[in-house]
Amino acid sequence: MLQDDTSLPPILLPDPETGMIFARVLDGTGGARAIDWDEASQWQPADPSETLWLHLDRTVESVDDWLRDELGISEATVEALVSNQTRPRAFREGDTLVTLLRGINFNPNAEPEDMVSLQIWATSDRVISLRRRILQAPRDVLEQLHRGAGPKNAGDLLTEIIEQLVAKMGGSIIDMNDRIDELEE
């Protein structure tokens, strides 16, 4: 499943066999190129400035096997990445950072307090993000990359995803506070 580099479809759907929603190789200057599953699953940096971002649907059964068998991620970490127990936390495993985050649920017919989780496994040149339900933050960062104004490396990518989650959360909190103020009056 290779996405067109010039425009994004309204909804990014996962490949039912691999779980891949999208894969991009960051070019180190704020842009990225789309790659398919075959290239993403076997990816090795051709240049030190490259970073792989692979966004997966963690509900697809083959995802946990691929994480364990192909990337060599420990069983405990794979369980944290694909589990429905999504208490926010972060931990290091060698040279890898694992973060389990939550964002506001903006999906149709959803309650904002019904948070959506995003799990991330990141090294210096590879970021694997996993979701069960649609979350806006990864798509927003992907749009930045399509404009050539996105993150330049793995650290920037992780920071931008977190900043997007926090910004959306802040906006929802302000809206809720405004509503509470109206109710009090």
Side-chain angles (χ1 to χ4, degrees):
M1 179 173 124
L2 184 63
Q3 299 293 332
D4 181 281
D5 270 37
T6 58
S7 64
L8 295 173
I11 302 270
L12 299 170
L13 299 174
D15 180 288
E17 292 179 25
T18 65
M20 186 175 104
I21 300 165
F22 63 80
R24 297 294 186 273
V25 176
L26 282 61
D27 62 14
T29 64
R33 67 180 169 88
I35 59 174
D36 63 16
W37 174 252
D38 291 335
E39 189 175 352
S41 65
Q42 302 299 317
W43 184 83
Q44 293 298 320
D47 180 291
S49 66
E50 288 186 341
T51 299
L52 172 69
W53 180 18
L54 179 57
H55 190 50
L56 300 171
D57 182 329
R58 65 183 172 88
T59 64
V60 175
E61 287 188 31
S62 63
V63 168
D64 58 340
D65 291 334
W66 181 77
L67 292 169
R68 186 182 320 91
D69 300 340
E70 299 302 321
L71 289 183
I73 299 174
S74 72
E75 185 65 40
T77 300
V78 169
E79 179 60 30
L81 292 170
V82 299
S83 172
N84 288 328
Q85 301 298 319
T86 58
R87 177 180 53 85
R89 61 191 183 277
F91 60 90
R92 292 188 79 80
E93 188 173 72
D95 292 338
T96 304
L97 176 64
V98 179
T99 59
L100 289 78
L101 307 167
R102 287 189 187 161
I104 299 290
N105 190 345
F106 292 108
N107 293 315
N109 303 318
E111 297 296 325
E113 62 272 7
D114 183 19
M115 305 290 276
V116 177
S117 62
L118 181 69
Q119 292 84 350
I120 300 174
W121 180 90
T123 65
S124 62
D125 62 6
R126 185 183 315 251
V127 175
I128 312 286
S129 54
L130 303 104
R131 59 99 162 147
R132 181 170 71 99
R133 293 184 289 176
I134 295 171
L135 190 62
Q136 285 184 333
R139 183 183 171 82
D140 291 347
V141 176
L142 183 61
E143 287 175 352
Q144 291 175 1
L145 289 166
H146 279 243
R147 292 191 317 268
K152 295 176 176 60
N153 57 47
D156 289 350
L157 177 57
L158 192 55
T159 300
E160 186 61 32
I161 291 170
I162 293 167
E163 285 178 352
Q164 289 286 334
L165 288 170
V166 170
K168 287 176 184 2
M169 206 172 295
S172 287
I173 290 169
I174 289 169
D175 291 345
M176 285 182 209
N177 284 337
D178 290 345
R179 180 71 179 131
I180 290 168
D181 290 345
E182 288 174 14
L183 292 171
E184 284 178 349
E185 290 176 9

